Amino acid sequence: MNLKIPFLLFGIFFLFFACSAPDYQVKTVEFPAQGTTCKITYYAIDSLNRHGIDSIINLIDNTFSVYNPVSEISLLNDSEKGETASLLFRRLIEYSRRLHKKSHGKFDISLYPLYKFWGFDKKKAPHSLNADSLNIARDCCGMDKFIISNDSVIKFRECLKLDMNAIAQGFTIDLLAEYLESNRILCYMIELGGEIRCGRAKPDDTEWNIGIELPPGVEISSSLTFPLKSASVSTSGSWRKFYIHNGKPFSHIIDPESGMPAGKNILSATVICPKCIDADGLSTVLMLFDPEEAISFIENIPDTEALIIISEKKDNWSIKMSEGFLLSTLSDGKLSDKE
């Protein structure tokens, strides 16, 4: 007797009705995470078990938080030559190496010494900004200054310190999405910081409505929103973490080549792709490109689209987007300053 066909039909039946059961209800869970708020909206019969969600949040904090003194990354950063590392930690380091290569060196998780040099760990300008101190911090950075050996991360410079902040939130969202789907919750939207991942369309077959966060003082003639399902979106912006020093703004996004805060005229970059870790990392990378180069870079990555907001002159903005970036309510493609 062939049992494959009944099981196949059951699988198709489950996928078809997974988000359309008449007794499914919309549910929301919201909680603090990673210095911001995480919100999960989903459709299900029963409420989620919070223990699974909390376990994921605690796992990320205990592995990647530079603000947790006993996390894996903090122990590695404080070590002289390196530390043993969990499979999860090694997995994200290998991912970071691939993105470093793909982005021509613009994505770099070894820039924490420069991040601290520029004062972003304390959210204020350091007392001394000079070339000698900058060069000392730069010498402590570099993806070639550490390796993975068996189950350990080996440092070639004691002052080397890693920071996964550019992909940690996106990675967290992907783990939460895997948890939801393992519990047969396929219709969901997860928001954490500036990152979002959506599952299947809602039970009424409408997609999730996503709005792009705009830089302060920038307003467009039409609402910058679009429908989304089975995809992720991340927005990075130079305004999110910055300070003013001697009348000049300094952004938290560091250029690995110069060691300086990003100085391009891209105000924000939004990326859409299947996994949130990719959207998170790529949106940061785009902030370090010239606008034309940014779009060209994205168009060479499969299943990935981007929109960037560009500062042209004082109080004037424009946008550029990849060919496949479809906006449901943006009609003229122009930005205007805030009235």
Side-chain angles (χ1 to χ4, degrees):
M1 180 177 179
N2 191 341
L3 298 178
K4 292 184 179 179
I5 293 179
F7 277 111
L8 178 62
L9 291 175
F10 173 78
I12 295 173
F13 178 87
F14 170 73
L15 289 175
F16 182 80
F17 288 101
C19 290
S20 58
D23 48 357
Y24 274 14
Q25 297 179 349
V26 60
K27 300 176 184 293
T28 301
V29 56
E30 192 168 348
F31 50 91
Q34 300 175 12
T36 183
T37 299
C38 183
K39 181 179 180 181
I40 304 175
T41 305
Y42 62 99
Y43 286 86
I45 298 175
D46 300 316
S47 296
L48 272 172
N49 183 346
R50 273 294 302 272
H51 176 72
I53 295 174
D54 293 339
S55 295
I56 292 172
I57 299 302
N58 291 334
L59 174 65
I60 296 297
D61 180 70
N62 291 330
T63 308
F64 301 115
S65 175
V66 295
Y67 301 103
N68 178 351
V70 295
S71 69
E72 278 195 63
I73 198 166
S74 292
L75 295 177
L76 173 66
N77 289 346
D78 293 339
S79 69
E80 181 180 354
K81 296 182 178 179
E83 284 283 339
T84 56
S86 65
L87 178 61
L88 185 68
F89 196 6
R90 302 196 305 272
R91 172 183 167 191
L92 231 61
I93 287 178
E94 293 295 353
Y95 173 88
S96 300
R97 287 199 182 280
R98 293 193 297 271
L99 186 52
H100 176 77
K101 182 178 180 179
K102 180 189 294 186
S103 65
H104 313 295
K106 294 187 183 299
F107 183 83
D108 195 325
I109 60 172
S110 72
L111 301 182
Y112 195 54
L114 282 167
Y115 188 84
K116 295 184 70 175
F117 167 79
W118 288 106
F120 290 109
D121 59 329
K122 296 180 171 54
K123 300 180 181 179
K124 64 179 181 179
H127 295 296
S128 175
L129 290 175
N130 58 71
D132 290 339
S133 297
L134 174 60
N135 288 332
I136 291 173
R138 290 182 66 186
D139 286 342
C140 291
C141 302
M143 295 289 284
D144 60 343
K145 291 185 171 65
F146 66 96
I147 61 170
I148 294 177
S149 178
N150 297 323
D151 62 349
S152 298
V153 178
I154 307 300
K155 297 165 55 173
F156 299 144
R157 293 288 302 274
E158 182 178 352
C159 59
L160 174 85
K161 297 181 186 296
L162 304 184
D163 183 7
M164 301 288 193
N165 184 59
I167 52 175
Q169 289 186 343
F171 184 57
T172 302
I173 287 179
D174 287 338
L175 291 182
L176 290 171
E178 290 177 10
Y179 174 70
L180 295 181
E181 293 175 5
S182 70
N183 283 275
R184 296 187 176 184
I185 296 175
L186 304 182
C187 308
Y188 59 82
M189 180 172 70
I190 308 171
E191 305 171 73
L192 177 59
E195 282 62 65
I196 295 173
R197 176 165 167 170
C198 297
R200 295 176 180 270
K202 301 175 186 178
D204 61 2
D205 207 32
T206 60
E207 298 181 16
W208 302 89
N209 194 44
I210 306 299
I212 294 179
E213 185 178 1
L214 299 176
V218 175
E219 194 171 87
I220 62 173
S221 55
S222 301
S223 175
L224 193 55
T225 61
F226 55 92
L228 191 70
K229 67 175 180 179
S230 303
S232 302
V233 58
S234 172
T235 297
S236 292
S238 58
W239 80 93
R240 286 209 162 142
K241 294 179 184 177
F242 74 97
Y243 59 77
I244 304 295
H245 181 66
N246 293 333
K248 182 180 179 180
F250 286 81
S251 166
H252 73 291
I253 299 174
I254 305 296
D255 187 338
E257 185 174 353
S258 66
M260 302 284 290
K264 304 297 183 182
N265 61 336
I266 296 179
L267 294 176
S268 71
T270 299
V271 172
I272 298 177
C273 57
K275 289 190 175 182
C276 204
I277 187 174
D278 297 328
D280 199 1
L282 289 171
S283 63
T284 300
V285 165
L286 292 188
M287 298 295 298
L288 298 169
F289 279 100
D290 291 321
E292 294 294 341
E293 293 175 334
I295 297 302
S296 177
F297 171 72
I298 285 296
E299 287 184 335
N300 286 313
I301 302 176
D303 302 320
T304 303
E305 307 295 341
L307 178 145
I308 57 176
I309 300 178
I310 306 158
S311 174
E312 301 288 359
K313 296 178 181 178
K314 185 178 181 180
D315 298 329
N316 286 300
W317 300 271
S318 65
I319 66 171
K320 289 185 181 296
M321 67 184 80
S322 57
E323 187 175 351
F325 199 112
L326 300 178
L327 300 172
S328 60
T329 58
L330 185 62
S331 57
D332 56 11
K334 296 180 180 178
L335 295 172
S336 60
D337 60 335
K338 198 169 185 177
E339 296 292 332

